[in-house]
Amino acid sequence: MTIRPITGREELDLFNELPYLLNDELADDLVQGRRRPEWMWIALQGDRLLARTAWWSRPGVGSPLILDLLDIDDGLPEPDRVDVGVRLLETATAATVPEGSPRPEYSRMVPPRWRDSTATRRPVQDRMAVLERTGARLFVERLRLEWQPRNPAPADRGRLRFRPPLDTDELLALMTRVLEGTLDAHSRDELTRASPREAAVKQYEEELARYRTPRDWWRIATLPDGEPVGFVIPAHNGYNPIIAYIAVLPEQRGNGYVDDVLAEGTRVLAGQDVPRIRASTDRANVPMARAFARAGYATFGGEINMTWS
């Protein structure tokens, strides 16, 4: 078995011989700098592609941020599938992730009810088994959600007022406050290492500030007297229009304001004549999942996140 990175874009067809829903994005990712050939590894037996793995990053970032591709030839015998995946992943990781750096989180897109049949369950479990053999554990499972223009945009009930943030400091102050009692697994994990303010600044700088869409799409929600209730960040992540962040302040929770805030974010993007709006939330964050469902967002898939402790 030969394990190596691809030589360049000329080997993308070989890399894509194993099917996965991200395949159509890989060529553009290479052009945009979200991927590099040296981050895209394959395991070959002669001309047969046995397995592949790859990392993703933001353009201009010099190291991989997410391990989001790990595929195995599902026609291999059962013991070999996981063994081949482990050998590939360990070899590729040693060459790709800088020594002493934490391994990037693993992300796998899965069907919405992937546990319901052997055909969808076994591939997911095989890939999770590869990760587990290398020391990873399940961190969180998320829902992938989508609103489509055939659904009417949620109406404004008139309970709240909406405006763009006054400045970055106002948004950071609200981002800090909403971390109290958060149900989001990534935020809760970040709070074990950082203060709420530090966590908010990191998320702003590493995610929100990088979106190239207009910041006047962003909305602060207030009561009629101007008191803040929460905020929503509509954006485009380079692949789809998204609800990047939505939150209600702790003291305002339980009043149903999340419906109003989400409706405003949806209206902002719908007003741009977008083909769809994507969002995601932790499967365990039942209140948020229900809010998306009430707003007309359908669950079209899921996501498995695994980490190395």
Side-chain angles (χ1 to χ4, degrees):
M1 184 169 64
T2 301
I3 295 176
R4 62 171 176 82
I6 63 171
T7 56
R9 293 184 64 190
E10 66 274 9
E11 286 199 310
L12 194 54
D13 286 344
L14 169 63
F15 190 82
N16 281 344
E17 285 181 4
L18 295 179
Y20 184 48
L21 57 83
L22 296 184
N23 282 6
D24 291 342
E25 299 175 356
L26 300 185
D28 189 58
D29 282 350
L30 285 167
V31 171
Q32 300 299 328
R34 293 186 286 254
R35 299 188 192 273
R36 301 180 182 181
E38 61 267 29
W39 296 348
M40 303 173 70
W41 284 69
I42 52 178
L44 295 167
Q45 190 171 60
D47 294 332
R48 181 183 179 186
L49 181 62
L50 302 181
R52 65 175 186 169
T53 193
W55 287 262
W56 177 94
S57 191
R58 296 185 181 95
V61 176
S63 57
L65 293 180
I66 299 173
L67 173 68
D68 65 342
L69 279 166
L70 176 63
D71 288 302
I72 309 164
D73 182 343
D74 293 313
L76 290 171
E78 185 170 353
D80 294 343
R81 290 196 301 272
V82 173
D83 290 345
V84 167
V86 170
R87 288 178 60 189
L88 169 64
L89 183 57
E90 292 290 67
T91 302
T93 299
T96 304
V97 179
E99 186 175 357
S101 299
R103 290 190 177 199
E105 181 176 294
Y106 171 71
S107 168
R108 176 77 183 183
M109 305 304 178
V110 296
R113 301 175 63 88
W114 63 270
R115 293 178 177 85
D116 288 358
S117 73
T118 302
T120 55
R121 183 175 62 251
R122 195 193 77 179
V124 176
Q125 290 179 334
D126 281 349
R127 287 143 183 80
M128 293 179 72
V130 170
L131 274 289
E132 289 165 354
R133 283 264 300 271
T134 66
R137 62 176 179 84
L138 178 64
F139 178 73
V140 68
E141 185 169 351
R142 294 173 62 77
L143 301 174
R144 303 181 68 213
L145 308 156
E146 182 176 87
W147 179 90
Q148 295 191 353
R150 65 172 178 264
N151 299 322
D156 183 352
R157 296 190 290 181
R159 298 201 303 167
L160 302 178
R161 305 293 181 264
F162 298 97
R163 58 170 174 80
L166 299 175
D167 51 32
T168 300
D169 285 341
E170 181 189 33
L171 181 59
L172 282 172
L174 295 176
M175 290 175 65
T176 300
R177 290 171 62 188
V178 299
L179 288 173
E180 179 184 335
T182 180
L183 298 178
D184 181 82
H186 285 91
S187 294
R188 291 166 69 94
D189 180 65
E190 187 64 32
L191 289 173
T192 66
R193 297 182 296 273
S195 69
R197 175 72 180 190
E198 291 167 340
V201 169
K202 180 179 179 181
Q203 183 170 12
Y204 179 84
E205 292 179 346
E206 294 185 359
E207 180 186 354
L208 305 187
R210 295 177 181 268
Y211 292 127
R212 298 178 181 179
T213 38
R215 295 193 181 184
D216 60 11
W217 290 4
W218 301 2
R219 292 289 189 268
I220 305 298
T222 73
L223 296 173
D225 64 4
E227 180 182 355
V229 165
F231 60 87
V232 62
I233 308 294
H236 195 294
N237 64 2
Y239 301 99
N240 291 286
I242 61 168
I243 300 295
Y245 197 167
I246 178 171
V248 173
L249 294 171
E251 65 271 21
Q252 301 289 358
R253 292 169 188 162
N255 297 312
Y257 291 139
V258 66
D259 292 341
D260 303 85
V261 180
L262 178 55
E264 174 67 9
T266 303
R267 286 193 297 270
V268 168
L269 290 174
Q272 307 303 314
D273 197 27
V274 298
R276 72 190 68 84
I277 301 171
R278 294 275 174 88
S280 61
T281 191
D282 292 358
R283 180 177 288 275
N285 191 345
V286 176
M288 188 59 71
R290 288 175 174 168
F292 276 108
R294 290 193 297 270
Y297 286 73
T299 299
F300 74 96
E303 179 183 2
I304 299 291
N305 292 159
M306 298 181 71
T307 57
W308 289 260
S309 23

